[in-house]
Amino acid sequence: MKTTTGTLDAAQEAVTELREALARAGITLPSLGLDAVTLTADPPRPLVELGRCTVGTARLLAAAVLPEEEGRS
């Protein structure tokens, strides 16, 4: 069972890290968390659920992932 606990702890840590990184970029995803369905597998194979967001938040995410290239208009 230690492996399962370690897997779940690592998944939750990843969610926390992502939430904090997004916050530093001024982005909030209210439904960010672990997907409950994937936690019920044996062994659990947790997926991170990003959830829905507004159009404005989607644009902020796009800008954070693909920063404007230098010299591009």
Side-chain angles (χ1 to χ4, degrees):
M1 202 57 123
K2 187 174 183 176
T3 305
T4 299
T5 302
T7 299
L8 297 178
D9 288 345
Q12 189 56 55
E13 284 177 23
V15 168
T16 300
E17 290 171 14
L18 179 57
R19 181 175 284 116
E20 290 171 358
L22 289 170
R24 285 192 303 271
I27 300 168
T28 301
L29 295 177
S31 35
L32 176 64
L34 295 177
D35 176 57
V37 173
T38 60
L39 299 177
T40 62
D42 188 23
R45 294 177 167 238
L47 293 176
V48 175
E49 178 69 45
L50 300 177
R52 297 177 180 180
C53 66
T54 65
V55 170
T57 300
R59 288 190 169 132
L60 288 171
L61 283 168
V65 173
L66 297 173
E68 195 168 339
E69 295 175 21
E70 264 187 65
R72 193 171 86 179
S73 303

